[in-house]
Amino acid sequence: MELDKIENILEKYFQGETTIAEEKELKEYFSSPNVAQHLEQYQPMFGYFSQVKQQKSTQEIPLQSKKRNVAWLSIAASVVVLLGIGTYFFMSEKNAAPAVAQSELGTYDNPEEALKATQKALALLSNNVNVGIESVQYINEYEQSKNKIFKQ
């Protein structure tokens, strides 16, 4: 009768349905010398559990604080920001165009020179406007195709 009970408890153990009392009963059974021959294969498993339970670790674990030195972190961040700002101003001073006097802007002494400059500026503006109009034409064609396919 006891062997049938142990087999039932062992089956429940492998299904994960045993209670703590039933697990203790299994450990006691497998630690005794009179284990059934067909159940001897489980004896090392339950013997290992009792051995491990008695083991104690003697290794010391050094405790290190996780606190970072915030002061050094903030100093490093401020140095990086200052270097970035300094580099920006240094490069912008290098690349800056020479200053033109306010009185020189948009005035020409020669009318022919003024006409050529105006025509050049209008030609540039016209080219950019033409590119924009071509893009709008593509969009209109896309809209027409879409309306043919997805009749609204």
Side-chain angles (χ1 to χ4, degrees):
M1 180 62 183
E2 184 179 325
L3 186 59
D4 290 337
K5 183 179 175 186
I6 293 295
E7 287 176 352
N8 288 338
I9 295 173
L10 192 60
E11 186 66 34
K12 284 175 58 178
Y13 179 79
F14 288 123
Q15 296 293 326
E17 300 171 350
T18 55
T19 63
I20 295 176
E22 290 172 333
E23 288 180 16
K24 276 186 180 180
E25 195 173 332
L26 282 174
K27 287 177 188 175
E28 288 172 9
Y29 175 76
F30 284 108
S31 63
S32 69
N34 53 351
V35 177
Q37 188 174 4
H38 68 283
L39 296 178
E40 285 180 354
Q41 61 185 350
Y42 302 117
Q43 196 170 12
M45 181 173 67
F46 288 100
Y48 175 77
F49 290 148
S50 62
Q51 279 180 342
V52 170
K53 190 174 185 181
Q54 294 173 358
Q55 268 185 342
K56 301 247 185 219
S57 174
T58 58
Q59 181 181 6
E60 284 189 32
I61 300 172
L63 297 176
Q64 295 176 349
S65 66
K66 301 257 180 186
K67 181 182 174 188
R68 290 185 176 169
N69 198 346
V70 179
W72 286 109
L73 188 61
S74 62
I75 290 171
S78 61
V79 167
V80 168
V81 168
L82 288 175
L83 282 174
I85 291 172
T87 304
Y88 172 74
F89 281 120
F90 179 72
M91 292 298 178
S92 66
E93 287 293 325
K94 247 184 175 180
N95 297 335
V100 178
Q102 186 67 25
S103 62
E104 293 181 20
L105 294 176
T107 58
Y108 287 97
D109 294 332
N110 187 355
E112 291 176 8
E113 192 177 323
L115 177 65
K116 286 182 183 178
T118 304
Q119 287 176 344
K120 183 178 175 183
L122 290 175
L124 285 173
L125 180 65
S126 173
N127 287 338
N128 289 332
V129 169
N130 287 339
V131 168
I133 290 173
E134 289 174 7
S135 298
V136 170
Q137 288 174 351
Y138 286 130
I139 292 173
N140 287 337
E141 192 168 325
Y142 170 75
E143 285 291 324
Q144 289 172 358
S145 300
K146 185 184 83 166
N147 289 339
K148 286 180 184 176
I149 294 172
F150 303 111
K151 294 180 183 177
Q152 293 179 351

